Amino acid sequence: MTSTAEAPVAAPAGRTAAAPSRKASRRGLAKAGVLLRRTVALAAFLAVWELAPRAGLVDRIFLPPVSEIAPALWDLAGSGRLWQDAEASLVRSLSGFGLSIAVAVPLGLLIGWYRPVAELLNPLLELFRNTAAIALLPVFVLILGIGETSKVAIVLYACTWPILLNTISAVGTVDPTLVKSARSLGLSAPRIFQKVILPAAVPTVFTGIRLAGATAVLVVIVAEMVGAKEGLGFLINSSQQNFAIDDMYAGIIAISALGLLFNHLLVLVERRFTRWRAPVR
């Protein structure tokens, strides 16, 4: 007696081998599309910058084309001056930025978790959070001098506020259901803080840290313009005073590249500490 059931048809070997290659090609095309979308705006901006001075839409003396600024940037890098100034600015900004994290994150967690501390310090925080760091730069210079201490201190002051305020907000906006669930399981207050509050607060804290990273670069540039013998801010200011316009724009481009690199590193660190989060599509 013959069976009426048909044997399953085996898929051709070539078809199974082609499936992974198709997926890989699709992923490659997707990455290429993302890269294209991210660079098209920058390419358009550089094209406008190159063509506007050549077409006479802006004064070429005050806004040279990009093709004329690139050699100046190369010459500054080749002479070593660009690296020396970038190193000075980076050391100042990183010093103040690191100190602000060490001060603002623990203080923000304390204020957000303990209501008596928040009630005690909130009036003082409201007073100083609305005072621009640049407005206090002359005060820092008068008290701490024109050396490195005043520049690191002004960066520390400016970076503290975005980190502190975001940390306080992160602790205050934790889902109360999570805290109640942890208490119902018999966890003590320190354990709730460690297992519930801290993980939930990390993304918002890193938002403040990234804002502070951008602030650190901007504030140190302004401080170097006021009084410094080296640094990217000093390079831009001295080039403007000596009418070396190409060098001035080269310094500005270097600052932009430094800020992008700084932000990218912070994004990588944030991903490292928030791997438990579901990816947002």
Side-chain angles (χ1 to χ4, degrees):
M1 179 176 180
T2 58
S3 175
T4 57
E6 296 182 357
V9 180
R15 184 179 301 177
T16 57
S21 61
R22 290 177 181 175
K23 292 181 180 179
S25 61
R26 289 174 183 174
R27 286 195 297 265
L29 291 175
K31 291 181 180 179
V34 171
L35 182 62
L36 179 62
R37 289 193 297 270
R38 290 180 177 179
T39 57
V40 64
L42 180 60
F45 171 74
L46 294 177
V48 171
W49 189 353
E50 177 70 24
L51 296 176
R54 295 185 180 278
L57 300 178
V58 294
D59 194 335
R60 188 166 180 166
I61 297 177
F62 301 109
L63 184 63
V66 179
S67 59
E68 297 180 5
I69 298 173
L73 183 63
W74 181 261
D75 291 340
L76 287 173
S79 64
R81 184 185 177 187
L82 182 65
W83 307 116
Q84 181 181 354
D85 290 332
E87 180 183 2
S89 298
L90 194 59
V91 168
R92 292 163 181 161
S93 59
L94 287 179
S95 299
F97 177 69
L99 290 173
S100 67
I101 294 177
V103 171
V105 172
L107 183 59
L109 294 174
L110 186 65
I111 295 173
W113 184 245
Y114 295 103
R115 186 177 298 273
V117 179
E119 294 175 352
L120 176 66
L121 296 180
N122 268 339
L124 195 62
L125 298 180
E126 291 296 329
L127 173 64
F128 283 102
R129 66 177 289 189
N130 295 308
T131 305
I134 303 302
L136 294 177
L137 180 58
V139 179
F140 281 89
V141 173
L142 288 174
I143 296 176
L144 301 175
I146 204 171
E148 299 298 313
T149 307
S150 62
K151 297 176 180 59
V152 174
I154 192 67
V155 173
L156 166 63
Y157 176 85
C159 293
T160 295
W161 298 108
I163 300 175
L164 179 63
L165 297 177
N166 276 274
T167 304
I168 296 173
S169 175
V171 176
T173 55
V174 174
D175 190 354
T177 306
L178 298 177
V179 179
K180 292 179 181 179
S181 300
R183 287 174 179 169
S184 65
L185 294 175
L187 294 181
S188 61
R191 295 288 292 175
I192 293 175
F193 186 79
Q194 177 187 0
K195 296 295 184 180
V196 178
I197 302 298
L198 282 180
V202 165
T204 307
V205 172
F206 265 100
T207 299
I209 291 175
R210 290 178 60 186
L211 292 173
T215 302
V217 176
L218 296 176
V219 170
V220 79
I221 296 303
V222 175
E224 290 171 348
M225 289 181 176
V226 173
K229 295 182 179 180
E230 58 180 358
L232 292 176
F234 171 75
L235 171 64
I236 294 172
N237 195 37
S238 62
S239 299
Q240 186 267 337
Q241 292 177 353
N242 296 325
F243 211 73
I245 304 300
D246 294 344
D247 292 348
M248 182 188 74
Y249 281 106
I252 294 173
I253 293 174
I255 292 171
S256 301
L258 186 64
L260 287 174
L261 178 62
F262 201 6
N263 181 73
H264 181 67
L265 292 177
L266 290 177
V267 169
L268 294 179
V269 175
E270 180 182 4
R271 290 176 181 174
R272 171 65 177 82
F273 282 94
T274 57
R275 289 183 299 178
W276 50 269
R277 298 178 65 189
V280 178
R281 295 187 181 275

